[in-house]
Structures are given as structure tokens and as C-alpha cells.
Amino acid sequence: MEYKVLLTVFVAVFIAELGDKTQLATMLFAADKEVSKLAVFIGASLALIVASGMGVLAGGIISQYISEKHLHYIAGVGFIGIGIWMLLKA
């Protein structure tokens, strides 16, 4: 296993998810006193696993048709575009 890649992906996803609406939704579910915290944790964890799996599959398929360099440019432009859109909406 490539531990450098593992650590890089972990840190990137962990930071991206902090304060994310997914974390806020999970917090709201866990705040309910009648709800099992373990069930909330397992449900949220499984959802993140499935969503990440879809991302890995999509990335694997897309990378067969588009070069990694172009994918980086597309992702960069996408993030910049989202940032500009959010600034304009604020």
C-alpha cells in the first residue's frame, strides 16, 4: 500500500469535510436524544464510504479518456468557479 497517498487523501478529505454540511447534518442527527449515536456514526460513515467509492470509480473511468494533467486543470477551474460564484452570492 502507498502510505504517502493514503495519508495525503486522508488529510485532504478530512480537512474538506470539517464544517461541511455533511458534518452539520450528522451533528443534528446525533443531537437527538432518542437517536443512537452509534447508528448515526455508522450511517454517516457508510454514506461517506459509498460517496468516496463512487468518486474513485468515476475518477478511474474518466482517467481512461482524459489525461491526469487535463483533469487537474478541469478540477482547478471548477474550484475557482465555485469560489467566484460563492463570493458573488455573498
Side-chain angles (χ1 to χ4, degrees):
M1 179 177 293
E2 298 177 39
Y3 291 106
K4 184 176 180 182
V5 173
L6 176 71
L7 182 61
T8 301
V9 172
F10 174 82
V11 170
V13 171
F14 182 78
I15 290 171
E17 290 298 320
L18 286 178
D20 178 285
K21 60 186 173 231
T22 303
Q23 186 180 32
L24 296 175
T26 303
M27 219 169 35
L28 289 174
F29 281 117
D32 187 340
K33 292 179 181 171
E34 297 177 13
V35 172
S36 163
K37 307 311 179 241
L38 181 60
V40 172
F41 174 76
I42 292 171
S45 298
L46 290 174
L48 186 56
I49 289 168
V50 171
S52 297
M54 291 169 56
V56 169
L57 288 173
I61 292 169
I62 291 170
S63 70
Q64 293 176 0
Y65 302 101
I66 301 174
S67 74
E68 182 181 352
K69 182 178 179 180
H70 286 104
L71 283 175
H72 283 201
Y73 286 133
I74 292 167
V77 168
F79 279 116
I80 290 169
I82 290 169
I84 291 171
W85 177 67
M86 291 180 77
L87 285 172
L88 293 174
K89 281 191 74 173

